[in-house]
Amino acid sequence: MAAATLSPARPAAVSTSGVDSTLHRSSIRPTLPRLFQHRASSLRAQSLSSTDSAKALSNDTFSELNEGIAHFYDSSSGVWEDIWGEHMHHGYYDPGLPLQAAFSVNHGDAQVRMIEESLKWAEIPEVDSRPQRIIDVGCGIGGSSRHLARKYGAEVIGITLSPRQAQRATSITSAAGLSSKVSFQVADALNQPFPDSHFDFVWSMESGEHMPDKQKFMAELVRVTRPGGRILIVTWCHRELLAGEESLKPNEEELLKRICDAYYLPAWCPASKYTSLAHSMGLQDVKSDDWTQYITLFWPAVILSAFSFRGISGLFKSGWTTIKGALAMYYMVKGYNSGLIKFALITARKPILES
Ligand code: SAH
């Protein structure tokens, strides 16, 4: 999830994460974020006006996007981990908690609760036929991968575009004694290096919002799922269009544009885009839900952490891109509060082939 960008990039010399500190250096691709932002705008302009427009985008544009996302997470994951820990996704909170609760709630527990509640909602079996081979698509530093491996005793492979995340995920996993079960690779979710029907369970926690072509994304998830296996996507969406509406309102598109600029998000869609893709691909037990009511404390908490002493000092060290990210936190809150942004879950099962 793009909230990692809110966290200021850690300076090159500081490495509490045990990975090659040269990966932090902005000199690797100093102009990439700005270069990409230009491209992101054109991607976004197309994707917001037509949900199928991604098909028309060139492979060059896709690889430029991937480089931008990789660079983004390479530079921001360390400080996110320092402040928030191993999970880079929303927490799950009881609805209706007052805003002050953001100070007192344990947000790490809320993030683990998000994983647990999502699995329960998707009815992933815990005993008989529990998943034994899992892919964590867009794995961050592997918080979910390790949780799933422990919970199900499963083998888990996590993929990310960020080499630094893959390294850090590997080293935390080794320290946790889980290396025989859990591994990580730098790989593209839209072009996965795995055979067909390889996984019992496909898990994507807050990576779908980065995917420029939702159809290709879903098709890859379906391809690598074994017949009878399950898919669970937890992702940011925009609201459903109302009857008679052909697009979002201009002010809504403007708000999403600002978020895209800050967080490397090329395309937004409503949750129904995923469910109609799932139906068109022949999936079964397709369902989706809107969990926006369970995540409302998260962004205020991220804002608080960004303006903590560590957050502010990092913000000043890392400059405009991060400040822009910090400002966009406000847009996220506004998007959720106005009903424009939805925190969506989508699940489905790949049918068992008849012999
Ligand atoms: N699921 C993790 C991390 C969420 S951050 C967690 O909940 O902790 C978003 C993740 O999606 C990052 O790891 C980023 O590298 C990954 N990602 C974005 N686009 C991707 C793509 N095309 N292929 C693989 N990973 C991708």
Side-chain angles (χ1 to χ4, degrees):
M1 81 106 154
T5 190
L6 310 178
S7 306
R10 188 194 312 201
V14 182
S15 179
T16 56
S17 56
V19 296
D20 180 357
S21 64
T22 56
L23 286 168
H24 295 292
R25 289 202 185 109
S26 58
S27 60
I28 299 173
R29 278 178 297 227
T31 57
L32 192 54
R34 235 164 300 161
L35 177 76
F36 174 71
Q37 273 167 20
H38 169 71
R39 291 296 223 139
S41 303
S42 56
L43 266 165
R44 190 188 49 250
Q46 294 176 59
S47 60
L48 282 175
S49 56
S50 159
T51 46
D52 290 328
S53 63
K55 283 184 204 149
L57 299 172
S58 72
N59 287 340
D60 283 355
T61 310
F62 279 14
S63 59
E64 194 172 356
L65 166 64
N66 286 0
E67 279 185 54
I69 293 171
H71 175 72
F72 173 71
Y73 284 106
D74 275 353
S75 49
S76 64
S77 296
V79 77
W80 178 269
E81 183 189 351
D82 280 350
I83 299 175
W84 275 77
E86 65 178 335
H87 297 288
M88 304 176 70
H89 59 81
H90 287 70
Y92 181 105
Y93 307 91
D94 291 324
L97 283 177
L99 214 54
Q100 308 86 282
F103 287 103
S104 53
V105 168
N106 182 321
H107 296 287
D109 288 352
Q111 289 172 309
V112 171
R113 190 172 169 200
M114 174 60 76
I115 298 174
E116 283 294 319
E117 297 284 349
S118 304
L119 295 169
K120 211 186 299 168
W121 175 84
E123 299 175 70
I124 305 303
E126 298 205 359
V127 189
D128 292 339
S129 68
R130 63 188 185 162
Q132 287 301 287
R133 207 187 266 169
I134 300 174
I135 181 165
D136 181 357
V137 178
C139 62
I141 56 171
S144 295
S145 310
R146 286 180 292 278
H147 188 91
L148 295 170
R150 287 193 189 100
K151 183 177 175 74
Y152 299 118
E155 284 180 20
V156 183
I157 298 177
I159 60 170
T160 169
L161 290 177
S162 155
R164 186 180 176 284
Q165 284 189 330
Q167 278 180 285
R168 180 62 188 141
T170 302
S171 88
I172 303 175
T173 300
S174 157
L178 284 169
S179 298
S180 61
K181 288 273 188 196
V182 185
S183 62
F184 300 93
Q185 297 180 25
V186 174
D188 186 355
L190 301 189
N191 189 16
Q192 297 181 26
F194 307 113
D196 295 356
S197 306
H198 196 62
F199 298 101
D200 301 322
F201 180 36
V202 172
W203 164 267
S204 165
M205 172 60 79
E206 298 191 38
S207 63
E209 56 268 26
H210 284 296
M211 307 298 165
D213 183 338
K214 306 305 185 206
Q215 167 147 18
K216 201 166 178 197
F217 176 48
M218 278 294 287
E220 266 303 80
L221 301 190
V222 174
R223 183 185 69 76
V224 299
T225 307
R226 73 157 167 83
R230 289 152 198 264
I231 297 169
L232 174 55
I233 299 165
V234 182
T235 188
W236 309 1
C237 287
H238 70 59
R239 67 169 174 84
E240 300 296 329
L241 296 183
L242 303 172
E245 273 187 329
E246 288 192 357
S247 63
L248 296 172
K249 300 188 180 95
N251 65 325
E252 292 178 317
E253 295 207 352
E254 181 56 31
L255 188 73
L256 295 185
K257 171 180 176 310
R258 289 177 188 202
I259 293 169
C260 288
D261 280 349
Y263 295 162
Y264 288 72
L265 306 179
W268 289 77
C269 67
S272 58
K273 171 80 180 176
Y274 285 102
T275 51
S276 58
L277 283 170
H279 286 298
S280 73
M281 291 173 187
L283 299 185
Q284 296 173 337
D285 299 339
V286 178
K287 67 171 179 172
S288 79
D289 207 353
D290 170 9
W291 277 18
T292 311
Q293 62 172 326
Y294 300 115
I295 54 90
T296 45
L297 273 196
F298 179 74
W299 285 93
V302 176
I303 291 172
L304 283 175
S305 70
F307 292 99
S308 66
F309 176 74
R310 272 191 292 173
I312 287 177
S313 55
L315 203 69
F316 278 112
K317 280 183 204 137
S318 38
W320 176 236
T321 304
T322 307
I323 291 169
K324 224 172 146 184
L327 295 174
M329 296 187 286
Y330 163 74
Y331 300 131
M332 286 301 296
V333 173
K334 197 170 167 191
Y336 278 127
N337 288 347
S338 67
L340 169 62
I341 301 178
K342 300 290 182 187
F343 190 81
L345 283 81
I346 301 99
T347 191
R349 198 165 52 78
K350 185 166 168 176
I352 295 174
L353 301 173
E354 313 253 317
S355 54

